[in-house]
Amino acid sequence: MFSKEVYVNRRARLLQLMGNDGVVLFLGNSEASCNYPSNTYRFRQDSTFRYFFGLEDPDFAAVIDLESGNETVFGNDVTMDDIIWMGPQPTVAEKASSVGVSCSKPFSDLGKVLSDALKSGRRIHFLPPYRSVNKILLNELLGIPFAEMKAGASEKLIKACVSLREIKEECEIAEIDHACNIGYAMHMTVMRMAKLGMREQELVGVMEGISISEGLMPSFPIILSQRGETLHNHNHNLDLEDGRMLLIDAGAEANSGYASDFTRTFPSSGKFTQRQKDIYTIVATANQLGVDMSAPGLTYREVHLACSKVLAQGLINLGLMKGNADDAVAAGAHALFMPHGLGHQMGLDVHDMEDYGENFVGYDDKISRSSQFGLASLRMGKELRPGHVVTVEPGCYFIPALIEKWKSEGTCRDFINFDRLKDFYDFGGIRIEDDILITQSGARLLGNRRLPNTPDSVKEAMNR
């Protein structure tokens, strides 16, 4: 938790953006049961509630009256039974005071406060709920049908939250740097210990252990697989085999909730074949261009397309694509090999603010999402500004089913050497991902050290 003043200032800035139209409702998260009520998953507070109120306990809510500026935190003080199991706890009033809120009430009073506002004809601004318990609560409090909750969320509040949260404060940047340092340790430990015959699951366990021992938890379920052509592969049931590439996409959440997100791909044996080295070098070149090119004033779509041209030209040089790289990218032919976007915003969420809706976060009134295959998956397309934190994660994948589909349909046949691709059906995929902060003049890598990102540095790290 940051200082009280951080949260007071954030709420004051939100009040300025929202004006005096109604009240704002913030719902924290509740515990989520794993397999019976009292056996819960690791608790994770709602990121927006945490951003504005800093309280990390379950079953809290807050209301800001936009006309009076009054703020109220709702929650329940612990009972003696709670104290027996959990020990003494600060009161709700003490917790609220710690983040600069002078008024607190029992959670049961929330309904009456909202009901009175509705009876007075005032608007209740809320964000799109993503957990079932909060959907049920919204239905009970506001009478909104479940099917209408997403549409009923306040666009004004969404845009205000995005404008505040996407430009990171110095205290946030320090926490993201810390999360990146944990992520570095996760990846480097596994890169050095990976040996042929080891089970993928064993490596996942090591990475999760580091994330929990140094922070809160992994920032998302770890992707670690020799089947890297499956973009979000969460199966870890293979033994490391000679000749295969191991793709690891993983990050950590610091105790503050701020995230990191790195991807590295390396030979399971520690030694690149020439074919693996060729593809790796193309992806590494695109990754470095993304880091070097990112700067205020450019749209991230421009950076994505520039990196896509590096990918296309590299594959043309290998004979896997053909024609002109600019024309190939304009036609979307490169998306056969990289069907995802270059990156996304990151902060308190690894895909920052994605619960608001990707288009509100990655796009705006100046630039809208493309409908072209591949480019449509770009989560962050708008203009870069100082304080943005984004990932740079180009990749190259050989997905047999997708290749066969495009071949049978004749998709982009002027740019793809389909017959040459048969030799790559067993290749898998390569992705290289770093996290960057947009500065006043360009961008910098987040974290104190950069993971190996060249064939030589990967080989050195794995063979120490």
Side-chain angles (χ1 to χ4, degrees):
M1 194 167 79
F2 299 126
S3 69
K4 176 195 304 185
E5 290 70 29
V6 168
Y7 303 104
V8 170
N9 290 337
R10 287 173 177 177
R11 296 192 300 270
R13 290 161 61 202
L14 178 67
L15 198 62
Q16 292 175 346
L17 292 172
M18 291 296 294
N20 61 358
D21 174 26
V23 301
V24 180
L25 170 65
F26 298 93
L27 295 178
N29 282 337
S30 298
E31 297 275 14
S33 297
C34 178
N35 56 348
Y36 56 89
S38 62
N39 186 22
T40 60
Y41 292 102
R42 184 180 296 272
F43 178 71
R44 176 57 159 82
Q45 183 60 283
D46 174 76
S47 294
T48 304
F49 189 85
R50 193 171 197 170
Y51 180 83
F52 287 109
F53 292 91
L55 301 176
E56 301 170 15
D57 306 278
D59 302 318
F60 271 71
V63 166
I64 299 178
D65 188 312
L66 296 176
E67 294 176 19
S68 66
N70 292 336
E71 304 166 341
T72 306
V73 167
F74 296 83
N76 295 323
D77 289 326
V78 296
T79 65
M80 182 54 66
D81 191 53
D82 294 324
I83 292 173
I84 291 170
W85 291 100
M86 300 163 52
Q89 303 291 316
T91 65
V92 173
E94 290 170 335
K95 292 177 180 179
S97 178
S98 72
V99 293
V101 179
S102 60
C103 181
S104 64
K105 295 183 178 182
F107 200 90
S108 59
D109 285 1
L110 178 61
K112 184 178 186 308
V113 170
L114 297 177
S115 176
D116 288 347
L118 289 173
K119 288 176 182 177
S120 301
R122 305 180 70 194
R123 181 173 181 187
I124 309 296
H125 296 272
F126 64 89
L127 295 166
Y130 54 91
R131 285 199 177 185
S132 297
V133 66
N134 280 345
K135 292 179 181 180
I136 294 170
L137 184 59
L138 276 176
N139 176 262
E140 293 174 351
L141 293 172
L142 305 179
I144 301 175
F146 296 106
E148 298 176 14
M149 285 183 181
K150 184 176 181 181
S154 170
E155 184 172 326
K156 185 176 184 179
L157 178 59
I158 290 171
K159 290 182 175 180
C161 289
V162 169
S163 70
L164 293 174
R165 286 182 58 187
E166 72 176 351
I167 304 303
K168 303 300 187 285
E169 302 165 80
E170 287 299 323
C171 58
E172 295 179 283
I173 295 167
E175 288 299 320
I176 298 172
D177 274 325
H178 177 52
C180 287
N181 290 338
I182 301 173
Y184 177 92
M186 293 165 65
H187 280 266
M188 280 301 294
T189 300
V190 165
M191 189 175 290
R192 287 171 174 161
M193 71 179 290
K195 296 290 184 293
L196 294 179
M198 292 184 71
R199 199 75 163 170
E200 292 171 346
Q201 182 177 347
E202 182 179 353
L203 300 177
V204 171
V206 170
M207 297 188 86
E208 285 199 7
I210 294 171
S211 74
I212 294 170
S213 66
E214 298 190 27
L216 184 66
M217 59 184 179
S219 51
F220 57 94
I222 291 171
I223 299 164
L224 186 152
S225 176
Q226 292 168 110
R227 299 291 304 274
E229 76 279 7
T230 302
L231 300 185
H232 282 179
N233 195 339
H234 297 295
N235 291 321
H236 314 123
N237 57 355
L238 300 178
D239 295 335
L240 300 194
E241 296 180 15
D242 192 16
R244 304 192 75 165
M245 298 286 286
L246 181 64
L247 187 153
I248 305 177
D249 189 341
E253 275 199 9
N255 287 327
S256 60
Y258 287 87
S260 62
D261 184 6
F262 295 124
T263 307
R264 286 299 186 267
T265 313
F266 53 85
S268 298
S269 67
K271 299 178 181 178
F272 286 92
T273 66
Q274 187 59 49
R275 184 176 69 163
Q276 291 169 344
K277 188 175 182 179
D278 289 341
I279 301 298
Y280 187 98
T281 300
I282 294 170
V283 178
T285 302
N287 167 268
Q288 189 61 52
L289 175 65
V291 174
D292 293 340
M293 180 180 176
S294 294
L298 282 177
T299 68
Y300 210 49
R301 178 183 285 179
E302 292 175 287
V303 183
H304 167 91
L305 292 174
C307 293
S308 299
K309 290 176 185 177
V310 169
L311 173 65
Q313 187 60 60
L315 294 174
I316 289 169
N317 293 344
L318 293 179
L320 302 180
M321 292 183 69
K322 56 187 177 180
N324 177 273
D326 288 344
D327 294 338
V329 170
H334 69 287
L336 176 64
F337 306 94
M338 193 177 93
H340 62 76
L342 183 64
H344 50 80
Q345 292 199 54
M346 189 183 74
L348 270 174
D349 310 304
V350 68
H351 288 184
D352 214 18
M353 301 172 284
E354 195 166 296
D355 53 312
Y356 301 164
E358 279 186 8
N359 287 346
F360 285 115
V361 181
Y363 296 89
D364 54 24
D365 296 337
K366 296 179 181 178
I367 184 166
S368 57
R369 188 185 291 264
S370 170
S371 60
Q372 185 186 67
F373 178 78
L375 188 55
S377 296
L378 178 62
R379 292 185 170 97
M380 171 64 174
K382 64 186 178 185
E383 183 177 313
L384 297 170
R385 296 165 55 202
H388 273 144
V389 169
V390 294
T391 63
V392 185
E393 49 181 306
C396 184
Y397 317 87
F398 296 88
I399 307 170
L402 182 60
I403 296 170
E404 288 294 326
K405 182 177 185 293
W406 278 34
K407 182 179 180 180
S408 66
E409 296 172 349
T411 303
C412 293
R413 60 188 175 189
D414 293 337
F415 300 104
I416 309 293
N417 282 324
F418 287 104
D419 291 340
R420 293 286 303 274
L421 293 179
K422 291 181 179 179
D423 293 337
F424 285 79
Y425 279 18
D426 63 346
F427 186 91
I430 294 175
R431 182 163 66 253
I432 302 173
E433 176 183 18
D434 289 299
D435 305 331
I436 62 172
L437 168 70
I438 305 303
T439 65
Q440 294 293 332
S441 59
R444 77 160 174 88
L445 292 162
L446 286 156
N448 294 342
R449 292 172 289 180
R450 190 177 193 179
L451 289 163
N453 67 325
T454 66
D456 287 343
S457 60
V458 169
K459 181 179 179 181
E460 180 183 358
M462 293 190 69
N463 290 283
R464 283 185 175 180

